[in-house]
Amino acid sequence: DPALIYDLGGKFDKSFNEAAFNGATKWAEETGGTFKDIELQSEAQREQALRRFAEAGFNPIVTTGFSMSTPIASVAADYPDTKFVTIDGFVDPAEHPNVLSILFAEEQGSYLVGMLAAMASKTGTVSFVGGMDIPLIRKFACGYAQGVKAVNPDATVIANMTGTTPAAWNDPVKGSELTKAQISQGSDVVFAAAGGTGLGVLQTAADEGILSIGVDSNQNYLFPGKVLTSMLKRVDVATAEAMTAGADLETGVKALALAGDGVGYALDENNADLITADMQATVEEAKAKIIAGEITVHDYASDDSCPAISF
Amino acid sequence: MDKMPAWADAVLVPLISLILAALLSALVIVAIGESPIEALKLMVEGALMRSTGWGYTLYYATNFIFTGLAVSVAFHAGLFNIGGEGQATLGGLGVALVCLYLPWPHWSLALIGASLGAAVFGALWALIPAYFQAKRGSHIVITTIMFNFIAAALLNYVLVNLLKPVGTMDPASALFPPATHLPTFQEMFSSPESPLFRGAPANISFFLALIACVVVWLLIWRTRLGYEIRALGHSESAARYAGISPVRIIIVTMLISGALSGLMAVNTTMGESERLLMNATEGAGFIGIAVALMGRNHPLGVLLAAILFGFLYQGGAELALWTNIPRELIVVIQALVILFTGALDNMVRIPLEKLFLAMRRGNT
Amino acid sequence: MDFLTLLQVLDSTVRLATPLLLACLAGLFSERAGIFDIGLEGKMLMAAFFSAAVASLTGSVWLGLLAGIAGSMVLSGIHGLASITFRGNQLISGVAINFLAAGLTVLIAQDWFSQGGRTPSLMGGGRFNAITLPFADTLSGVPILGPIYAELISGHSILVYVAFACVPLTWWILFRTRFGLRLRAVGEAPEAVDTAGVSVVGLRYAAVAICGLLCGIAGAYLATGLQAGFVKDMTAGRGYIALAALIFAKWRPWHALSACLLFGLLQAVALRYQNIDLGGVIIPVQVMDALPYILTVVILAGFVGKAIPPRAGGEPYVKER
Amino acid sequence: MTDQAPAIELRGISKAFGPVQANKDISIRVMPGTIHGIIGENGAGKSTLMSILYGFYKADAGEVFIAGKKTEIPDSQAAINAGIGMVFQHFKLVQNFTVLENVILGAEEGRLLRPSLSKARGALKKLAEEYELSVDPDALVQDLSVGHQQRVEILKALYRQADILILDEPTGVLTPAEADHLFRILDNLRAEGKTIILITHKLREIMEITDTVSVMRRGEMTATVKTAETSPEALAELMVGRKVLLRVDKAPARPGAKLLEIENLRLTDETGVQRLRGISLDLRAGEVLGIAGVAGNGQSELLEVLGGYGTATGIVRVNGVEIPLSGTGCTGQARRAAGIGHVPEDRHHDGLILPYTAWENACFGYHRDPAFQKGILMNNAAIREDAKGKMERFDVRPPNPNLAARNFSGGNQQKIVLAREIEHNPDILLIGQPTRGVDIGAIEFIHQQIIRLRNQGKAILLVSVELDEIFSLSDRIAVMFDGQIMGFRDAAQTDQRELGLMMAGITQDPGGDPLAAIDATLAAKEAREAAQHG
Ligand SMILES: Nc1ncnc2c1ncn2[C@@H]1O[C@H](COP(=O)(O)OP(=O)(O)OP(=O)(O)O)[C@@H](O)[C@H]1O
Ligand SMILES: Nc1ncnc2c1ncn2[C@@H]1O[C@H](COP(=O)(O)OP(=O)(O)OP(=O)(O)O)[C@@H](O)[C@H]1O
Ligand SMILES: [Mg+2]
Ligand SMILES: [Mg+2]
């Protein structure tokens, strides 16, 4: 059986851990298989969970979050017959042949929703709310800003972070205030990449009559007609695929990008009225170009810098 | 003359309180549709019946010993140091700087250096609130709360902008050089014939924590400084009468307290993760308050309470591994343990005292 | 900063200050009666959960409010039992209550709603909506005062007005009524109250109950006024900040208002002005994030003298040892 | 008289605090319109018995009859309803409330304060006139002198229309003038038919004012007698179980070298009030200089400055060497090193750490002494041994150094402090209120120790509000008033009246009734302080 280890944010973070859970559930429903999962509580449990699951014979062991890569690197050699998957993390395949690293090109998905934001914006000012100031969140913000500027080079992108303690991921009240502050600075589309805090952002955007953009999972349904789109990161698909492959999982490094729909933007009945055919066409064109390599979206993590916005 | 024998107060009361907490926890487990007996079995087996379980229990306990001692030392001077979290955070920074930027030939030297780094950084982070309390009367509870937030912001900045290696996603420092690797219990106690503590994070800093317990005990009950700290804690006016300077004691005590909190980072940052993480303290500073209060501010009590909390953490991890019980159940159990052993202890003590008194009357 | 921005910052200040203010007044009642309470955080959290849960189940925000208050008061009852009846350690009890609330809210939420420790988002009658005060629209044209009235004073949820009304009410109760006199006395010298023939236990329970009530409103405001649902740990340390404000205010109602407004303002400013560019040097977001806390320490050390808590505070009333 | 029901009758009252049997089967009858005294050693159970009558503690067994009717007194409210008022040994006042607020607390008229306050204001005015009990109704209690605080307690009881008034050691903290005043009030109350129970350690007071007196020992009532039919000596013997020397025998002083010289000592407290206004005095080896004065006239501050924990200006020389009065050299430890021992007035507050054991307290302030060290640690064994010796020599009971200080009676606590300071063999000993609240057995012992020290050639500065004590111990007497010394007198050549006037700030005998003159100077002093505050 496969096992799934969620990052500290917990199984139901309405975000990428939840996406992994959904993917695993879908896999279980479709195949009738079962999987084991655990929500971590502390840093030290990472390695513990890996070892306990490996010893108990679970295979593959799928993990979410970049923080799992280091523990996997130190455990993998002890269990050569077990396959480990690190979603968002990177483990050198040369050293650890039994590990699959799945990396998402979040900047590409963010780029597309940034374009949508710029097109939907009437004021020329759009904004971003991040949970904590960490590289991953900057990566989102950077891609987003690039997309915005691609459509409207004069647009203003306001990027704010919620806080510096773990509470930053669960403070919808602060998210809400940040959104209000951004609205008063002219923003009329806000992209939230902030876990539970993001709910406050989406809520306030809906209350105040501006558009919002969800993250990781499709969050369009939360406020139908008020969420412009969601930046999708198909952790669910990646999880389900890994589980389907089972013990025969191919290891190495897998980059999930726009090509192959590893990332993308959400279009469904909830936001059908918000995205005009024109907008969709423009975004699809950009998407094709990115896939074709004609447009390169800069990845913040590659050199810790961003051409479109400063942190 | 006491109302009941000391052993009853020290053993019987906490034991009965613990049982009450366990019973109530069992009710909660039943309420969410699981079996409390199974849960208890899992916890005990996972945390205490295997050496690896102990390896985790003691790893957590190490953290709580340091923060618990920190809180209790301050308490003896009448100071409520809620800032363990921030001081431990800064301690982590100290450890990281020492391990990353100084060349260490051997782990033993690195351990000394890192301990110093952790203690100094933790102490300095406690110094400012201490100074304001001593000189300006600024309430240390407020200032230490504030310093927790400030420490988090500082660490966030340092990690993301200064310490994080370029191109990595983790807001964490680079791995420390191998020479700073501290011996784990596995390396210390395992032999090929009898593998022990496999993979457990417990490491030599547990013994550092034990030493800290002894040192704190000596400090508080055997040194002049400890005598003066306790005197100030009991009565400021008497302290002044005896020529004990409140300003000096407040500052020195908080430096010691901050250093102890900071030392926790040797266990987490150097011993376990071997790099500086964003949230390495994980609330241990707050658990330290509960541990200190439950341990009645005595190092032995702190040690026992820390092990109890270590057990809850590790047992909780086992529950999370093998059942569908949400991890918050462990938080509830912790709450009940704190409540019954720490705050509702008189509920047990008063009837017991009556019982013992009646027995004594009956005998004489 | 132009006038409109100022108004918006102040508006944000009011919203951020309201939960602090309610919790701070809650703590004021309790601590004035000699019961220290670091469990404000937990009570608010409990109330936030139950108000959102019941509001979402019944669709009535008022029933939600009642449920939130009830949840908070149950915790108050536990605190009272521990610190009044069984003369336990008030700090430990408060710590335990914070843990209990953090765990129970998520546990129950998961059990009831299976949405990962959240309540469903509240719709329509499940939330407190902003109230537009009379003439707000007509007056908004009046220079200066008009916008102040329309933007700043009008347009908050009813609980905000309740919170602000609680300040004079608290003052009046404490300093103009018999109950207030006795309450203050029991926090200063319980033996004086006892020998005057008044029940120390009764008064302290009353104070703790009021504390629960106000924390209940604070939590309900977070989950059903400011937000539309409960998210785990959504109080995010506000209980501790309220405690700081209480000490800052030296346990006085009007000062509590100033202290909470100050904290609210500092936060509002920090939220609005992240990444300030000072001629090339960009102040990092972390500095702004920490600014409210740094300023608090500076103000405390620089301008506010020593805060002396109620004399009997934190000590159980023990007659016979 | 005989057919009249007793105002109070207690039958078979027993009370245990855990293992301590504080009251054992106590019965007592007090007739209406009389003053009944209760005496007994520290810890005999006097306060406990009265607290039971007032409903503060609940008796384990026994019955209470008020005016012949069996009355249940489960709490103080019941006692108040039964017409009982009590002034506790340790006042039960809210320090930061006004007098008025303290008086109405628990006896308010309605839910709102204003009506109660104005009614009480009127009532207080009447009571003040009726019983000479004037206090400023709007003053904060913490600003009042102990004597005035006691008036507030009495007013509280009278405001509740108490017919039975219990006073627990009321004169322990009063000056002779204040005590006389109190007794006049008690006389008036008795004349009105009220019943009064008076606990005191002072036999003179018992003889002076009571009608009947009971003696308690170790929780039991050992005797009840008519005051007129007994004598102080007999009572003392009943109380302690042996003969007690009620007077101090001392040889004439042989003063030697000047050990302490003080010139123009001044101190202003943090509220801006001048507490010491230019004190100058000399103290010689082998003499006791008694400082008399009403509490709150700067005596405490004088001791604090000399003891090293108050900063002042002026010159102080010890053995001819000037010592610093502020800064780093001004600490308690520096003073001890300079040969000054200090028995502080308030043992609970300053002199002892109540949760510390007796042995820890026995080295308090001397804990840095090299004899008590073992390397970097304290030599607890040595300290304990040393404490044991001290406790034996000073007859501290129980002689158990491991017992916490709070578990000793007041007299024994006092002995621990005295032992500590005296045995360290200081050249100069500062002693504040050495016998406050201590029973006569202990008083006898403490007085003997002070005289013994003087005879060894030490210099002793004694501060006491008890004129009796000042007279029986001092060789010279200085009177302090309002931060100044009104004058020095030879103990043999002055009398209570002259000192009493000086204590009120009057150096010249005005003749006639001194009370008016006293009131005038006191009013002037209060006005000055108020002005300084503002
Ligand atoms: N609240 C209490 N709890 C426990 N023990 C007490 C309490 N109050 C008094 N005791 C004990 O009861 C005994 C009698 O004390 P009590 O205060 O009645 O003595 P007392 O005669 O008033 O003494 P003193 O002359 O010193 O005022 C003492 O042994 C004392 O230790
Ligand atoms: N609440 C209490 N609990 C336990 N013991 C007490 C309590 N109150 C008083 N005692 C003890 O009772 C004895 C007598 O108490 P009391 O309060 O009468 O003090 P005291 O001897 O008169 O001292 P003081 O000099 O302060 O008047 C002492 O041993 C004291 O420690
Ligand atoms: Mg007494
Ligand atoms: Mg006494």
Side-chain angles (χ1 to χ4, degrees), chain A residues 182-216:
Chain A
Q182 292 173 343
I183 293 172
S184 70
Q185 286 161 275
S187 166
D188 61 351
V189 183
V190 56
F191 178 25
T197 302
L199 288 183
V201 175
L202 267 51
Q203 173 82 49
T204 304
D207 288 351
E208 301 281 318
I210 69 159
L211 294 170
S212 56
I213 300 174
V215 78
D216 292 346

Side-chain angles (χ1 to χ4, degrees), chain B residues 284-295:
Chain B
F286 289 107
I287 301 274
I289 298 171
V291 166
L293 292 170
M294 273 177 61

Side-chain angles (χ1 to χ4, degrees), chain C residues 131-211:
Chain C
I131 295 178
T132 309
L133 294 181
F135 313 116
D137 290 333
T138 32
L139 287 178
S140 64
V142 181
I144 311 284
L145 290 181
I148 289 185
Y149 183 70
E151 297 279 323
L152 184 56
I153 300 180
S154 170
H156 295 286
S157 87
I158 176 114
L159 296 184
V160 172
Y161 302 105
V162 168
F164 280 79
C166 276
V167 175
L169 186 67
T170 301
W171 174 85
W172 184 80
I173 289 176
L174 280 183
F175 297 100
R176 286 291 177 268
T177 68
R178 173 176 74 185
F179 174 70
L181 181 81
R182 293 176 174 186
L183 188 110
R184 284 182 290 134
V186 87
E188 291 287 334
E191 67 284 353
V193 173
D194 191 7
T195 54
V198 182
S199 161
V200 172
V201 170
L203 273 173
R204 288 192 160 172
Y205 266 107
V208 164
I210 296 175
C211 172

